[in-house]
């Protein structure tokens, strides 16, 4: 059973694949399907709205069941920023790696002088599952609580992982082995909330 996950981010596709493997569902990214077409405009004000836009768009474009996620970082001292603009916070960068580096540099600048106690943040993930006609079947969300470090640490993961400290483990999410991140992460949290439904629906995928 193959489920389309509406992302071209190989890190995210790998994470969702690993989380759903226990349900014997193979997750494929947008790169693996033909006729995915153009990217939709993600102009929602919330993670949930953008996840819905992607799930409905790619389900209709491909005629397949589609799971989409929209995720990002919400920093308390910045009023919830970068939020839905997490992927392009710095507004520069040719590719994903350059954008991630620029985003992390901007985040550190914005938090300069902010004491550790006020650097609390959370990763948030909203997910939407649409059927092959583009009808929304399920929506879910999850989060992971942490603190923003003063310098990057670790090489696993992507995005803001090198700056996201999990105080209970004394390391950043980029220092966690991937399977451990999947147990703790906002994406893992969101998926586990609809895992039973996904398992029941899987024969239709
Ligand atoms: P999206 O692809 O539009 O959902 O953008 C998500 C952005 O949020 C990414 O480009 C990252 O900057 C950030 N992000 C989301 N999830 C994670 C994560 O698990 N680790 C690090 N950064 C993340």
């Amino acid at each position: 059973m193959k489920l389309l996950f509406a992302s071209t981010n190989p890190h995210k596709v790998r994470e969702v694949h690993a989380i759903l493997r226990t349900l014997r569902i193979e997750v494929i990214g947008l790169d693996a399907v033909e006729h995915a077409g153009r990217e939709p405009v993600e102009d929602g004000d919330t993670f949930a709205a953008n996840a819905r836009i992607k799930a409905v768009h790619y389900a209709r474009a491909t005629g397949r069941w589609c799971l989409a996620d929209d995720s990002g970082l919400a920093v308390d001292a910045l009023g919830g920023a970068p939020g839905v603009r997490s992927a392009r916070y710095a507004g520069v960068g040719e590719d994903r790696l350059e954008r991630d580096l620029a985003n992390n540099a901007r985040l550190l600048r914005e938090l300069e002088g902010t004491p550790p106690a006020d650097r609390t943040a959370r990763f948030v993930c909203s997910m939407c599952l649409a059927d092959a006609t583009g009808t929304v079947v399920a929506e879910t969300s999850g989060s992971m609580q942490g603190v923003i470090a003063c310098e990057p640490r670790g090489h696993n993961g992507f995005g803001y992982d090198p700056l996201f400290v999990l105080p209970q483990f004394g390391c950043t999410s980029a220092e966690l082995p991937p399977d451990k991140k999947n147990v703790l992460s906002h994406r893992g949290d969101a998926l586990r909330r609809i895992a039973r439904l996904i398992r029941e629906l899987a024969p239709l995928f």
Side-chain angles (χ1 to χ4, degrees):
M1 287 165 292
K2 288 187 183 174
L3 175 59
L4 174 63
F5 178 58
S7 178
T8 52
N9 179 337
H11 300 279
K12 277 193 189 180
V13 176
R14 252 196 313 275
E15 287 185 9
V16 173
H17 180 76
I19 295 165
L20 290 184
R21 201 172 37 207
T22 53
L23 304 183
R24 303 200 179 168
I25 293 166
E26 184 187 343
V27 169
I28 55 171
L30 286 172
D31 294 339
V33 291
E34 286 175 22
H35 313 302
R38 285 169 176 231
E39 284 181 20
V41 180
E42 292 176 39
D43 55 2
D45 291 336
T46 61
F47 294 114
N50 284 332
R52 208 174 302 133
I53 288 170
K54 286 186 258 190
V56 170
H57 172 86
Y58 286 113
R60 286 188 184 148
T62 62
R64 305 182 67 120
W65 282 71
C66 180
L67 179 70
D69 105 321
D70 197 61
S71 51
L73 181 70
V75 180
D76 294 318
L78 303 177
V84 290
R85 277 179 288 284
S86 291
R88 295 177 183 275
Y89 188 38
V92 293
E94 288 288 309
D95 56 25
R96 185 168 282 121
L97 192 62
E98 270 187 26
R99 282 196 294 275
D100 286 351
L101 287 171
N103 290 340
N104 285 354
R106 173 164 183 201
L107 181 60
L108 287 179
R109 274 199 311 278
E110 299 284 344
L111 289 176
E112 230 166 57
T114 305
D118 296 334
R119 298 172 78 99
T120 48
R122 74 203 53 75
F123 276 128
V124 181
C125 168
S126 286
M127 287 198 173
C128 178
L129 178 67
D131 73 11
T133 69
T135 301
V136 172
V137 172
E139 295 181 290
T140 180
S141 64
S143 65
M144 174 165 71
Q145 198 68 36
V147 173
I148 303 302
C150 292
E151 56 184 22
R153 281 186 352 230
H155 299 285
N156 295 332
F158 67 100
Y160 299 95
D161 279 329
L163 291 178
F164 192 84
V165 176
L166 297 143
Q168 69 274 39
F169 297 101
C171 68
T172 67
S173 45
E175 293 176 302
L176 286 176
D179 54 339
K180 186 114 187 196
K181 180 183 170 191
N182 290 339
V183 170
L184 302 167
S185 81
H186 44 313
R187 250 178 300 286
D189 186 24
L191 271 177
R192 274 186 290 277
R193 292 171 196 270
I194 56 165
R196 187 189 296 175
L197 179 69
I198 290 181
R199 197 170 45 218
E200 283 168 11
L201 292 170
L204 303 173
F205 296 161

